[in-house]
Amino acid sequence: QLQLQESGPGLVKPSETLSLTCTVSGDSISSGSFYWGWIRQPPGKGLEWIGSLYYLGSTYYNSSLKSRVTISIDTSKNQFSLKLSSVTAADTAIYYCARLTYTWGGLDYWGQGALVTVSS
Amino acid sequence: QSALTQPRSVSGSPGQSVTISCTGTSSDVGAYNCASWYQQHPGKAPKLMIYDVNKRPSGVPDRFSGSKSGNTASLTISGLQAEDEADYYCCSYAGSYTVVFGGGTKLTVL
């Protein structure tokens, strides 16, 4: 059974960089030619797609966050990561990692989510 | 990328059917058969209920069904049960390897 688990600091100061890692277990991150993604959800609000990447390194970002986001992959550790720079209180959210289906028609496996609070 | 439009809330009694709509544009929902639906209970991660417009993952009851007409995708839940009370989000591929979500719909089982 494929499992995803987010990890990283739960508190980040304004203007600093948020960093999260998603560890994939149960299968190789580079098998099956899947895409992997990050999604966030501010407290009490809806879901927002942040970006996705392919195991060979191609990345795709939400245009509203593109200037601040970097998603990368480490196939040796079966992990992919998110960095969001120059954070503000508006970036406070639960951050989820997930796997996209072959057709990009759904996100079939999700991590449990990691709450990141931006505060001094 | 503008968010897809969903009703803020819907409700129904046990045993009834409810339909949640998700309206996009000819650049996302209308352009691709890549709409999906997620169920989210409080404090939990979203769970995939429908993908590729009308396909159900293994383990999802057949009371859940999806469809699409033009720029609008729909999720229908028949035989409503108390445990169906949750937030539901739609999602669509929007081209150029991007994805867009709906704002979410709160389903109340009366």
Side-chain angles (χ1 to χ4, degrees), chain A residues 35 39 41 45-47 49 60 62-63 96 103-108 110-111, chain B residues 1 34-36 38 40 44-46 48 51-52 89 93 96-99 101:
Chain A
Y35 287 77
I39 300 95
Q41 184 173 34
K45 296 187 178 181
L47 301 168
W49 176 72
Y60 311 93
N62 185 326
S63 57
Y96 296 99
T103 61
W104 279 67
L107 296 127
D108 54 359
W110 293 67
Chain B
Q1 297 150 324
C34 294
S36 53
Y38 304 85
Q40 186 179 37
K44 300 295 186 181
L48 180 66
Y51 68 100
D52 290 353
Y89 293 90
Y93 180 64
S96 300
Y97 297 97
T98 63
V99 163
F101 283 96

Side-chain angles (χ1 to χ4, degrees), chain B residues 13-69:
Chain B
S13 299
Q16 289 186 332
S17 293
V18 295
T19 296
I20 302 172
S21 62
C22 170
T23 301
T25 69
S26 57
S27 297
D28 40 60
V29 175
Y32 309 97
N33 289 322
C34 294
S36 53
W37 290 91
Y38 304 85
Q39 177 191 66
Q40 186 179 37
H41 287 112
K44 300 295 186 181
K47 175 187 176 183
L48 180 66
M49 305 301 284
I50 296 289
Y51 68 100
D52 290 353
V53 176
N54 56 14
K55 297 177 183 174
R56 271 189 318 276
S58 174
V60 172
D62 60 6
R63 302 185 295 103
F64 292 83
S65 62
S67 62
K68 190 186 88 167
S69 177

Side-chain angles (χ1 to χ4, degrees), chain A residues 3-110:
Chain A
Q3 292 186 319
L4 288 77
Q5 178 70 59
E6 305 88 350
S7 60
L11 181 63
V12 181
K13 290 182 169 55
S15 80
E16 295 190 345
T17 296
L18 177 160
S19 296
L20 291 171
T21 296
C22 180
T23 300
V24 179
S25 59
D27 198 2
S28 170
I29 199 171
S30 55
S31 71
S33 301
F34 288 103
Y35 287 77
W36 305 86
W38 286 98
I39 300 95
R40 71 178 183 178
Q41 184 173 34
K45 296 187 178 181
L47 301 168
E48 179 182 33
W49 176 72
I50 299 172
S52 299
L53 89 165
Y54 189 52
Y55 79 97
L56 290 176
S58 305
T59 53
Y60 311 93
Y61 302 131
N62 185 326
S63 57
S64 67
L65 298 170
K66 189 173 184 177
S67 63
R68 299 194 290 131
V69 173
T70 302
I71 297 176
S72 59
I73 195 166
D74 186 338
T75 54
S76 67
K77 295 182 179 179
N78 229 34
Q79 296 175 334
F80 63 103
S81 299
L82 168 70
K83 291 188 185 300
L84 181 64
S85 64
S86 304
V87 297
T88 69
D91 295 310
T92 294
I94 298 173
Y95 286 76
Y96 296 99
C97 59
R99 189 185 79 170
L100 287 94
T101 62
Y102 283 118
T103 61
W104 279 67
L107 296 127
D108 54 359
Y109 288 93
W110 293 67

